[in-house]
Amino acid sequence: MKSVPQILTIQSHVVFGHAGNAAAVFPMQRLGVNVWPLNTVQFSNHTQYKQWKGLVLPPKQIIELTEGIDAIGELANCDAILSGYLGTAEQGREILEAVKHIKSLNPKAIYLCDPVMGHPEKGCVVAPEVSDFLLKEAVSAADYLSPNQLELDSFAGRTPTSLTDCVEMAKKLLTYGPKAIMVKHLNYPGKKPEHFEMLLVTEKETWHIQRPLLAFPKQPVGVGDLTSGIFLSRLVLGNTLLEAFEFCAAAVHEVLLETQKQGSYELELVAAQDRIAHPRIKFTANKL
């Protein structure tokens, strides 16, 4: 019998609500993986409330805690690493050291980098040095990269002119080392406003998927964290890239439907937990 997959997820945590690990860990567990959450920051709530309390945790704890897991003989059992929101660039460098060490123990381990960058218009606060680290250092170490449109633009140094241009921008990122790029949220000239679109790009294939864009008074936070966590979980559970891509589109949509139904600003993960594991709907990706 195959053992339950193990994922180390290194990103932010909020005490109230759902962002970072607080958005990803429970859904990943509900899908059937063991999750090892390691927090880069611990805040009272996510930063789009415009006020929060908390702190950035010391970078050295990342290596210390992974060394502690290694000391009890478990680090080699890590199947995948997910990184997200960083408080400092030094935290990112510690993560890359942890990834390197895990891969030396388990060469089959995979690393998905969710390159969270600052978006002032969204109220997402990220130190400028973190964006520089992601652009210059993290991309070449990642097996998979999951930017949103704004982050893809930052990597490319420009905005797209079309969907085809988005594909070319993602393909350029592949030349730095990742095996696949999943763009979690597309926004380009000519995109239909009623659609939410995503892109999956590998060296040989490109897939595009769309689902209805649900209306909210304020768009919930943590959707990208949820998306990356579900995508990686399905990969370590044995899905192909395409299967994981289609599944996460459906599962995330189910969470948003429940969140809309309850009129909530925070993702309704607990209420939607059965639909995360068993989505009622399916979105089929189109090959471009």
Side-chain angles (χ1 to χ4, degrees):
M1 181 178 177
K2 188 182 185 301
S3 61
V4 175
Q6 317 284 324
I7 297 179
L8 171 65
T9 172
I10 310 174
Q11 54 184 318
S12 63
H13 175 71
V14 292
V15 177
F16 171 82
H18 300 292
N21 274 334
V25 172
F26 173 67
M28 294 166 74
Q29 291 171 328
R30 188 65 182 80
L31 290 174
V33 300
N34 283 328
V35 185
W36 308 347
L38 199 167
N39 302 328
T40 55
V41 305
Q42 181 153 292
F43 291 162
S44 56
N45 49 271
H46 66 67
T47 58
Q48 291 185 45
Y49 280 103
K50 310 300 182 184
Q51 60 181 20
W52 66 92
K53 300 290 186 179
L55 71 161
V56 176
L57 299 171
K60 66 179 182 178
Q61 77 156 3
I62 293 169
I63 290 297
E64 288 178 351
L65 291 175
T66 52
E67 285 177 346
I69 298 170
D70 195 15
I72 60 172
E74 292 293 339
L75 197 61
N77 294 323
C78 181
D79 296 295
I81 308 97
L82 169 63
S83 68
Y85 184 101
L86 304 175
T88 64
E90 189 55 36
Q91 284 184 335
R93 297 186 182 99
E94 293 290 304
I95 290 172
L96 295 189
E97 285 300 313
V99 169
K100 183 178 178 180
H101 183 49
I102 290 168
K103 288 193 169 196
S104 73
L105 298 172
N106 178 11
K108 294 182 179 179
I110 57 176
Y111 171 39
L112 189 154
C113 175
D114 187 346
V116 180
M117 298 182 188
H119 303 145
E121 67 273 25
K122 289 177 59 181
C124 181
V125 180
V126 178
E129 65 179 63
V130 169
S131 294
D132 289 340
F133 161 77
L134 292 167
L135 293 167
K136 297 175 182 178
E137 301 177 53
V139 63
S140 60
D143 296 300
Y144 304 105
L145 199 69
S146 58
N148 60 26
Q149 184 69 62
L150 290 170
E151 291 151 0
L152 181 64
D153 295 352
S154 294
F155 279 115
R158 62 184 179 85
T159 57
T161 58
S162 63
L163 175 59
T164 300
D165 200 21
C166 290
V167 173
E168 292 306 312
M169 291 162 69
K171 283 186 174 180
K172 178 66 175 178
L173 277 180
L174 291 174
T175 66
Y176 293 97
K179 300 172 185 175
I181 309 297
M182 180 179 68
V183 186
K184 304 187 302 283
H185 179 197
L186 286 169
N187 188 22
Y188 56 88
K191 187 187 81 67
K192 293 183 179 180
E194 66 270 22
H195 290 163
F196 184 96
E197 301 181 19
M198 298 167 60
L199 198 64
L200 176 66
V201 178
T202 69
E203 185 178 354
K204 295 182 178 180
E205 296 180 322
T206 298
W207 297 90
H208 174 252
I209 202 166
Q210 62 185 32
R211 58 173 172 78
L213 178 63
L214 301 179
F216 292 91
K218 291 192 297 182
Q219 285 291 326
V221 172
V223 177
D225 308 320
L226 175 65
T227 301
S228 294
I230 290 176
F231 179 73
L232 183 58
S233 296
R234 296 299 300 188
L235 285 181
V236 299
L237 287 166
N239 278 183
T240 65
L241 284 168
L242 178 59
E243 289 168 342
F245 183 54
E246 291 180 335
F247 184 95
C248 77
V252 171
H253 188 66
E254 291 279 18
V255 172
L256 291 172
L257 283 172
E258 186 63 35
T259 303
Q260 184 189 59
K261 176 183 175 182
Q262 297 200 26
S264 176
Y265 180 37
E266 295 286 349
L267 295 173
E268 291 293 339
L269 301 176
V270 174
Q273 62 178 291
D274 290 341
R275 301 279 66 86
I276 292 172
H278 307 287
R280 297 165 295 186
I281 52 181
K282 178 177 174 60
F283 297 108
T284 301
N286 294 313
K287 190 174 184 179
L288 299 181

